Amino acid sequence: MNNAPFDAVSLGIMWDRLVSLTDEIVSTLVRSSFSTIVYESYDLSCVVLDADTNSIAQGTFGIPAFIGSAPVTLRHMLKKFPAETLKPGDIVVTNDPWLGTGHLFDITMMRPVFRKGRIVAYTVSITHLPDIGGNGFGSASTEVYQEGLRLPICKLYEAGRLNELIVEIIRTNVRVPEQVMGDVMANVSCNEVGGRELLAFMDEYGLEDLRALSAAIRGQSERAMRAKISEFRDGTYRNRIKVEGFGEPVEFAVRVDVKGDSVEIDFDGTSGCVRAGVNVPICYTNAMGLHAIKSLTLPSIPNNEGSVAPIKVKAPPGCILNALPPFPTGGRHAMGHFVTPTIYGALAEATPDRVQADSGMMNLITFQGRRRDDRAFSCLYFAAGGYGALENLDGWATLPHPSNMAVVPVEIWETLTNMTIESKRLLTDSGGAGRWRGGLGQEVVLRNDTGHTLTMLGMGNRMEFPARGMFGGGAGTLRVHAVDGSPVHAKGRIDVAPGQRITVTEAGGGGFGDPRQRSREAVRGDVLDGFVSAEAARAIYGAES
């Protein structure tokens, strides 16, 4: 890579400007979207790529599930619509799980950026849609065909002209067409802003092409990542875990090969797919694998093609981490989020001071129904379990990992759905014991005040296998879903009658290190804060009440 045209200061300034530009694309998307999953929870990603489909910059706000997916999707799009056939005003879309981000509920949109008659870049945005028809966002489907509308790679706009047929097909197949199309058009808007801002950036710096700048940014990122990976001890590291499936557990197996300045992750030996919507396409497994290594090395370096180049992820076709059609993938996060802790467990020997105990993880529940005014809604309720502890750091209460979505404020949720959130409380003793304590889970009670029967689609995990501690730390408590006090399947499809209460008990995070080494001062603080009961403090830590 030839970095000669840019001195270190100029490169740093232009790199920061590109990241800021992608953040402006994100801001446009958030301000113009219609659903809480985007404008409150930030289930999205915005990326700028060069003319050779290499990602240069990605918005600061975004979720790990989208790391590395945009270049792959763009290359699929250009196979269908080669670059030389694209025109100004073209916008290409797809929500195909195997071409995009792993399930039908994410739409990926691409816009070519033209300068003086030729393509100099592409902008790509990804957002989770509130509904895509079918059974809805959950785990209950047994084939991908039941999960909703699957759009092949197609042009939503051609030379600036909207394809009304695609709009009609989408509107006809979804429960909340205004909301869905509002989010689709928000993607259109943000890509338009991205293209305009990118051209202004090129004008300011007198750039006719972005290839040299792209190469310099990616080269710097790759060298930094390789230097950090070189700090790991060379070797082959393995781990196996069990995850609750449907009827019997699913086993994840991983081999991590660290050699010099590169890492290869192989999930050979992992269980096969299941007839439920929790299977994981390789694009999602890849993103979670990239996130795991990046979080252990240089989490602060901006995402681009260079920052992930030293990492390779693979899994045997047909296993649950490389699902093939027609297996359903709607709730792929319910399994896919275990990729990160499985890798942490394998690398505990290689980098003991950086790995993290297991987290209670996030919990997504889809609610479908009608409000008191009979308006239809399809909304995602998000809550999180406890964060896993690390060396020298207690786990935070109710903080998601490995995803980083934001919670929807109570007032907004109640207004949109006419449901009532009766209470939210932290759960004493839910975090795993340790020299550093695991984060607390929580209990949330929701009441169906819509006047109509609601459908609740669960995608919960941690119902059978708790968040494990690391290096002698204790496990966190389990996740439980209940309706009027009776436990229900956390991955099930449940009808909730008017007035019924849904209690969601979120899992606690694992502890780190031998609990007997926790300082007495920290234990007393835990008891005073209500994080640990006096009884548990005496039994686990040997502390006086």
Side-chain angles (χ1 to χ4, degrees):
M1 295 180 181
N2 179 19
N3 300 342
F6 305 102
D7 62 82
V9 174
S10 298
L11 179 60
I13 291 171
M14 285 189 278
W15 191 350
D16 285 346
R17 284 287 304 276
L18 280 173
V19 174
S20 177
L21 189 153
T22 57
D23 285 343
E24 182 63 26
I25 303 174
V26 170
S27 295
T28 303
L29 179 57
V30 168
R31 290 196 301 267
S32 54
S33 67
F34 278 46
S35 61
T36 57
I37 194 67
V38 178
Y39 69 74
E40 291 291 346
S41 296
Y42 281 76
D43 192 344
L44 55 84
S45 183
C46 295
V47 187
V48 170
L49 305 96
D50 66 24
D52 297 324
T53 73
N54 300 299
S55 63
I56 313 173
Q58 183 172 345
T60 306
F61 294 97
I63 62 174
F66 300 148
I67 296 175
S69 69
V72 178
T73 305
L74 175 57
R75 288 160 198 160
H76 283 298
M77 289 175 166
L78 294 181
K79 287 179 184 177
K80 178 74 173 291
F81 300 108
E84 61 270 18
T85 70
L86 294 173
K87 301 178 288 293
D90 283 356
I91 292 181
V92 182
V93 300
T94 187
N95 72 331
D96 188 298
W98 290 274
L99 305 179
T101 65
H103 66 179
L104 292 172
F105 300 89
D106 291 337
I107 190 164
T108 301
M109 187 173 294
M110 175 273 281
R111 178 186 186 275
V113 181
F114 283 82
R115 182 176 177 83
K116 297 181 180 178
R118 64 187 183 92
I119 294 175
V120 293
Y122 300 90
T123 61
V124 170
S125 65
I126 308 166
T127 63
H128 185 111
L129 296 176
D131 187 73
I132 200 64
N135 285 335
F137 184 34
S139 308
S141 298
T142 58
E143 291 184 304
V144 69
Y145 310 114
Q146 300 167 1
E147 294 190 300
L149 177 65
R150 184 175 169 189
L151 287 170
I153 293 172
C154 55
K155 288 186 179 181
L156 180 64
Y157 279 80
E158 185 156 11
R161 184 175 181 180
L162 179 64
N163 188 327
E164 298 287 356
L165 177 59
I166 293 177
V167 172
E168 186 176 355
I169 289 171
I170 294 173
R171 291 183 62 89
T172 303
N173 279 276
V174 300
R175 296 171 178 84
V176 283
E178 289 79 13
Q179 196 175 340
V180 172
M181 283 310 305
D183 279 4
V184 169
M185 299 311 291
N187 278 270
V188 174
S189 298
C190 79
N191 277 281
E192 177 67 26
V193 167
R196 184 183 68 211
E197 293 296 315
L198 191 58
L199 291 175
F201 166 83
M202 295 177 72
D203 284 340
E204 182 177 347
Y205 288 97
L207 300 173
E208 294 303 319
D209 192 282
L210 291 175
R211 285 184 173 91
L213 178 58
S214 171
I217 289 172
R218 289 181 288 114
Q220 287 280 66
S221 301
E222 183 171 344
R223 283 190 294 275
M225 282 295 294
R226 289 192 183 278
K228 271 296 182 183
I229 291 172
S230 296
E231 296 177 4
F232 291 171
R233 291 197 296 270
D234 279 10
T236 295
Y237 305 94
R238 300 177 186 273
N239 191 26
R240 302 181 79 92
I241 68 168
K242 289 186 176 180
V243 181
E244 55 268 13
F246 282 76
E248 60 183 27
V250 171
E251 191 166 62
F252 283 18
V254 71
R255 188 189 78 239
V256 183
D257 293 314
V258 179
K259 186 176 181 180
D261 60 2
S262 64
V263 175
E264 183 173 289
I265 302 164
D266 190 344
F267 288 96
D268 189 24
T270 295
S271 298
C273 292
V274 297
R275 288 291 176 184
V278 293
N279 302 288
V280 189
I282 190 64
C283 55
Y284 194 89
T285 301
N286 181 66
M288 290 290 102
L290 297 176
H291 165 68
I293 301 302
K294 194 166 180 290
S295 66
L296 296 175
T297 52
L298 283 173
S300 61
I301 194 170
N303 288 319
N304 58 62
E305 205 97 356
S307 64
V308 299
I311 309 161
K312 305 299 179 188
V313 181
K314 60 183 182 178
C319 79
I320 199 167
L321 294 178
N322 189 357
L324 303 176
F327 281 104
T329 66
R332 86 280 200 243
H333 68 276
M335 291 288 179
H337 282 175
F338 286 93
V339 165
T340 300
T342 304
I343 294 171
Y344 286 171
L347 289 175
E349 180 186 347
T351 176
D353 59 332
R354 299 181 188 177
V355 293
Q356 177 185 7
D358 289 0
S359 292
M361 295 188 171
M362 74 173 199
N363 193 10
L364 287 174
I365 306 172
T366 300
F367 286 97
Q368 298 171 348
R370 293 187 174 276
R371 308 187 329 169
R372 287 189 292 270
D373 60 7
D374 281 334
R375 287 182 59 186
F377 70 85
S378 179
C379 290
L380 279 174
Y381 187 77
F382 164 72
Y387 199 73
L390 300 94
E391 185 175 58
N392 294 314
L393 186 66
D394 288 342
W396 287 285
T398 67
L399 184 70
H401 186 267
S403 190
N404 58 350
M405 290 168 56
V407 70
V408 177
V410 169
E411 297 82 359
I412 291 176
W413 175 262
E414 292 182 340
T415 300
L416 289 174
T417 66
N418 290 166
M419 298 178 69
T420 299
I421 298 178
E422 288 190 340
S423 63
K424 298 177 76 172
R425 67 182 183 94
L426 296 178
L427 295 174
T428 301
D429 294 334
S430 57
R435 184 176 182 182
W436 295 283
R437 176 186 41 75
L440 270 60
Q442 62 180 312
E443 179 194 83
V444 184
V445 180
L446 305 96
R447 189 175 68 239
N448 179 7
D449 285 339
T450 67
H452 306 281
T453 297
L454 295 175
T455 298
M456 179 175 79
L457 303 173
M459 292 165 280
N461 46 33
R462 294 268 184 240
M463 304 98 64
E464 300 174 29
F465 300 99
R468 299 180 305 176
M470 188 74 76
F471 300 120
T477 56
L478 292 170
R479 174 173 283 116
V480 180
H481 289 187
V483 176
D484 281 352
S486 299
V488 297
H489 200 302
K491 288 188 176 78
R493 182 186 182 94
I494 311 295
D495 287 335
V496 181
Q500 286 192 306
R501 289 173 170 81
I502 303 131
T503 301
V504 181
T505 303
E506 299 297 346
F512 191 104
D514 187 344
R516 292 170 295 182
Q517 296 181 7
R518 186 166 179 80
S519 72
R520 292 293 179 266
E521 182 181 351
V523 174
R524 283 194 294 272
D526 287 342
V527 173
L528 290 173
D529 289 335
F531 297 162
V532 176
S533 66
E535 296 78 12
R538 286 193 293 269
I540 298 170
Y541 299 103
E544 297 180 1
S545 58

